[in-house]
Amino acid sequence: MSDSADTARVHTVSVVIPVYKGERTLPHLLAEIEPLTAVTRTPAGHSFRVDLVYPVWDNGPDASDRTIHELARTHDFVRPVWLSRNYGQHPATMAGMASTAGDWIVTMDEDGQHDPADIGTMLDTALRERASVVYAKPTNPPPHGHFRNWASRTAKLFLSKAMGSRTAPEFNSFRLVLGETGRALAAYAGPGVYLDVALGWIARRVTTCPLAMRHEERPSSYSLKTLIGHFGRMIVTSGTRGLRAVTITGFVVALIGIIFAIYIAVSTLTGPTVVQGWTSTMCVILISTGLILGALGIIAEYIGVTVNVAMGKPLYLIVSDPADGPLGDAGPTAEHNPEEEHHPGAQHSPDRPPNPGRTTPGTPMAVRCPARPATGPRCAPPG
């Protein structure tokens, strides 16, 4: 496509916002996005407009669902997505991506640290570098605590060096993704997948765009437990290098044992026999037991992901608006599960066409099933 033809084209952008505690922050964010629903020029002269915004309700503890209802009534470009329970930020994001229809998908947080005005700059980067995924690259320190910033950098560095994920240092929740790439990933990703690692599986080119981050308008919803869970999913999703590390560690420990045995045998034959105490024996037993249990834990993580896929555990479940169902008068929100991490998913409005590969006309809900072999069905119909 020529530059002039590309400049004349109006790119449509769908915005996906996982919502967990957005009762106070979401209205202001939507007010910033609203001007972009008209045709807007990027700094490089390309034209785009936001076609729809998809707030994905992740069954948070506040009244975010009421806020989403109100925004949907007052803004015709808002299409809520409702998840059956709290699934976490990444499944919620993929539920929103699956519901989109734009040329591009922008994912952003609800807390206000991402500026919608930067969407045009990210689009310019994607078109200039022919990239299917563009991550925001903060030019200022992230608006978190020093420990969290250090832990995030360390985890990404480990993932890049030890697990072979070259794009790990670029991961950011403010992303611009080619529409068909994002929807394909949402259709085929299984439970427990880490979104950014999975994007690296299918994206032709991934790049970054330097942007300034704003301060969060509320405290972060991530606890230490949630962040550790994110790190674990990053490792498991990154492939089988963790299992290879277990194998290599086993061979190294076995080699050390053989060398030590040879040393003991030679010492016994060439010198006086010395009665050894039990301290060294206990040290060897404790170290070996720790390595064995650690190896079993790593293997169990991979087996757990496989079992979830085999049992048909959905990555997310998109349902109709809870306020319209039999539980609509039971209370403002469903019970929140504190052990789940951070975000949920949703249903299209009745006036929207069904999303390809997600729901069929007349189906009351959509289940995001893990991938099945080509010879079998993709997903059983909802019961």
Side-chain angles (χ1 to χ4, degrees), residues 12 14 51-52 54 97 99-105 183 352 355:
T12 56
S14 300
D51 62 346
L52 292 172
Y54 300 85
M97 293 167 68
S99 305
T100 64
D103 299 327
W104 299 89
I105 302 171
R183 287 185 286 273
R352 291 201 66 241
N355 185 53

Side-chain angles (χ1 to χ4, degrees), residues 41-56:
R41 287 282 184 177
T42 70
H46 302 287
S47 298
F48 79 96
R49 64 177 180 85
V50 172
D51 62 346
L52 292 172
V53 177
Y54 300 85
V56 184

Side-chain angles (χ1 to χ4, degrees), residues 158-165 234-236 238-242 302:
F158 174 81
L159 194 66
S160 174
K161 301 298 183 182
M163 305 303 293
S165 180
M234 289 171 68
I235 298 299
V236 174
S238 296
T240 58
R241 286 201 178 190
Y302 285 91

